[in-house]
Amino acid sequence: MLNIKGIFLILLFSIFMWSCSEGTTNPPDFKFDSETNTFVDTNTFTDTDSNSTSDTGSDTVTESDSNTDDTSVDTVDSDTGVDTAVSDTGSDTVDSDTGVDTADSDTGLDTADSDTGVDTVDSDTGIDTADSDTGVDTADSDTGVDTADSDTGVDTVDSDTGIDTADSDTGVDTVDSDTGIDTADSDTVCQYDCVNSEWACNGEIQYGGGGGVIAGSCVPTAANGWSSICCNFSGIDTGVDTVDSDTGVDTVDSDTGVDTVDTDTGVDTVDSDTGSDTDPDMTAAQIVADMNIGWNLGNSLDAEGSETAWNNPIVTRELINAVAAEGFGAVRIPVTWAPHIGPGPNYTIDANWMNRVDEVVGYVLDAGMYAIINLHHDGADAYTAVEWITLNDASGNVTYANNLAVEQKFTTVWTQIADHFKNHSQHLIFESMNEIHDGYGDPQSVYYDIINNLNQVFVDVVRGTGANNSSRALIVPGYNTNINYTVAGFQLPDDSAANKLILTVHYYDPWTFAGEGSTTVWGAAYPGSDDFGQEDYVITQFNKLKTTYIDKGTPVILGEYGAVNVTGYENYRRYYMEYVTKAAHDRGIAPIYWDNGGTGSGADNFGLISRYSPYSELFSDILDAMMRAATSSYSINDISTP
């Protein structure tokens, strides 16, 4: 029997069911809970308006508007349309370029490198160590510091010091393992080797004025404007370790890029102007071979009174450069000192004159040639105003008193010259004296003794001044520089330096053709030629020098030789000059042409190069013939006759 309370509940339930059937297509499911005496809704709802229901407030939704009720942050990547919120932090850690979630697993921070999208945070320090250029993690494993070189991306931190030792240009570790000092030379200049068509030093070569980098060959770019021909150009060889392995000192010459410390002396022997290393260990024979062929600056610094006294202009750097451009390897600078020497016993050389000689020497060295200076007309038999190196006294007799006076002045003068030039490079060579003689007849035997003694004094004085003079090459003559008299009476001086002495002789035979021009033709086949001094005589005389001296270790130069111009007979002069030059060169004798600036016709006109700007060739065919003889390999019998 139903009581009133039960009837009321049944009625209420019926009304509720009718109400639900009118507002929804899915009837509700209720279950009566007997313990609570209530009905429980068991339906699951699908929220079609993307809003959470009031039932739990924690529905999982599909976000069509890119917002979540959880964070209110739009985490959909703008490029991919994918929700990129990290599950732990709710932060968007997807790299905008790669679409990869780069959040570090421990910190939740985006550690991707901005360029590569790779996680470069060091696992120990939490610091992003990716190199800004490469994106590679370059942090040192011990310190957590990025040690990658900014140019190369290579870790260049020294394992002992923790200091980045990479050279700023190359990225190569150039720190000396013993000293901890970076020894890479930043400015090493490297010359282009025209002969071998390559750069004369190793490593990368950077153009002096541009950014192009080359190695081993020249590949110019428009950016720096270089010619496609690299001869005579230079570049920068950077990052080369230039510290000497024994001394720890950077010994690369700033001009040449060559390590110039002599292995025995530790002294830098590269000339700062020429870049030529004339090692003190270079023998006299090697120096003579290196000279090859030379040129005399005659009638300038050897003139009586002043440099211009004999009608030549002041010597200029441009003249010497023109001589070098012709291919000459040495310039003999005859110097007459007498007008510039003070009274005894000091015999002080005028400082202005010494400096002027030094200046002209500098022109020659700067041009990359050997320079030879001597006492020239100080011993000239024909110039009484300047002659003081005499064999006889005023009465014409050989006396002890005269010999002693000459020796004392000779010693004092050479001491001053040698001391002034003692630090000059080995491209400077001293010659004791010129053509010391008494007339042109056969000499007295005592004359040989006097010349030999002065040569010995000269060698001892120069060596005694030290520095580079202790090993400088020195030139000594025989009596009057005559070949026959030299062979008869010359004695090589004793020398504390081994293999540093050079013998000099002069050759103007026959004088009537070579010096006077009174005979206009030369060659045994030509009528009117002299009865001696022809081709066979040249060979005989030079063979004497070879067998007597060269073959026994004493090198020889022709300190002077040449032939004057005679108008209309230039081809005979060409033939003579080529023949004599070739005969000397074939025997290892370096010939040095006597050019006195004379440009006319006849006696004493030896000029080949104008002394006036633009310093042009006066006789190109003769210069060409001389250079051909000194540089080309052909038979002397193949020389073209007039």
Side-chain angles (χ1 to χ4, degrees), residues 413-433:
V413 169
W414 262 119
T415 298
Q416 295 175 75
I417 297 170
D419 189 65
H420 179 87
F421 289 99
K422 66 183 178 182
N423 291 317
H424 280 56
S425 80
Q426 299 295 337
H427 266 66
L428 174 62
I429 301 173
F430 301 148
E431 178 186 11
S432 63
M433 50 197 160

Side-chain angles (χ1 to χ4, degrees), residues 319-404:
L319 168 63
I320 300 304
N321 288 343
V323 172
E326 293 292 343
F328 291 104
V331 173
R332 182 172 178 255
I333 308 170
V335 183
T336 298
W337 300 85
H340 312 284
I341 298 174
N346 294 329
Y347 300 112
T348 303
I349 298 173
D350 179 73
N352 291 330
W353 181 247
M354 183 78 82
N355 290 335
R356 176 54 180 160
V357 175
D358 195 341
E359 183 176 28
V360 176
V361 166
Y363 296 162
V364 176
L365 298 182
D366 288 352
M369 298 181 288
Y370 289 89
I372 301 169
I373 58 174
N374 68 355
L375 308 186
H376 201 71
H377 291 309
D378 300 79
D381 187 43
Y383 302 115
T384 56
V386 295
E387 181 190 18
W388 57 269
I389 304 175
T390 60
L391 301 173
N392 303 315
D393 64 11
S395 301
N397 300 313
V398 175
T399 64
Y400 172 79
N402 183 72
N403 291 342
L404 180 61

Side-chain angles (χ1 to χ4, degrees), residues 32-45:
F32 184 79
D33 188 341
S34 60
E35 292 182 0
T36 63
N37 291 323
T38 60
F39 288 92
V40 179
D41 187 349
T42 60
N43 281 333
T44 299
F45 289 85

Side-chain angles (χ1 to χ4, degrees), residues 282-293:
M282 196 173 183
T283 67
Q286 290 171 326
I287 290 173
V288 168
D290 198 31
M291 288 181 186
N292 194 38
I293 185 171

